[in-house]
Amino acid sequence: LDQISVSHIARNHGLTPSYLSSAFRKYRGLTPVEFIRNLKLEKAKALLLAEPVMSVSEIADAVGYEDQFYFSRVFRRVVGFSPTEFRKRSHTCQN
């Protein structure tokens, strides 16, 4: 997931990045960047639950974020909780 970019996808399909973004938004309701971000965050949530010994920094790296603090800010903005809070709340709900 860390190597995916709109330019790369557009180039591989013979499209311009702006056309790809426009068409993607029309059919998916969100931009390719938002879609890729959501994929990364879904993978991060799965890792937070399945790999309790992995640190937030390791999970950020595993899903393509070089900066753990940026990852945490994006995660909180989209999910509503920090990665650590998400992990704690999810484990509390399972017990």
Side-chain angles (χ1 to χ4, degrees), residues 19-87:
Y19 178 80
L20 174 65
S21 292
S22 175
F24 202 92
R25 180 184 285 278
K26 180 179 178 182
Y27 293 104
R28 298 296 297 214
L30 65 166
T31 68
V33 171
E34 292 167 331
F35 183 79
I36 292 166
R37 180 207 58 211
N38 291 348
L39 286 176
K40 289 179 177 186
L41 294 179
E42 287 304 313
K43 183 176 179 183
K45 289 193 294 188
L47 288 171
L48 285 163
L49 298 177
E51 302 293 340
V53 295
M54 281 184 82
S55 69
V56 171
S57 178
E58 290 170 321
I59 290 172
D61 188 54
V63 299
Y65 285 89
E66 293 179 17
D67 183 340
Q68 167 194 344
F69 301 106
Y70 178 68
F71 164 72
S72 292
R73 284 194 308 275
V74 170
F75 192 97
R76 180 187 295 272
R77 187 178 74 240
V78 174
V79 177
F81 306 105
S82 72
T84 303
E85 290 172 306
F86 176 82
R87 180 180 267 167

Side-chain angles (χ1 to χ4, degrees), residues 6-25:
V6 174
S7 296
H8 180 76
I9 295 168
R11 187 172 44 252
N12 283 345
H13 293 284
L15 305 169
T16 65
S18 62
Y19 178 80
L20 174 65
S21 292
S22 175
F24 202 92
R25 180 184 285 278

Side-chain angles (χ1 to χ4, degrees), residues 84-95:
T84 303
E85 290 172 306
F86 176 82
R87 180 180 267 167
K88 285 179 185 175
R89 287 173 178 260
S90 296
H91 286 297
T92 301
C93 291
Q94 291 176 0
N95 294 329

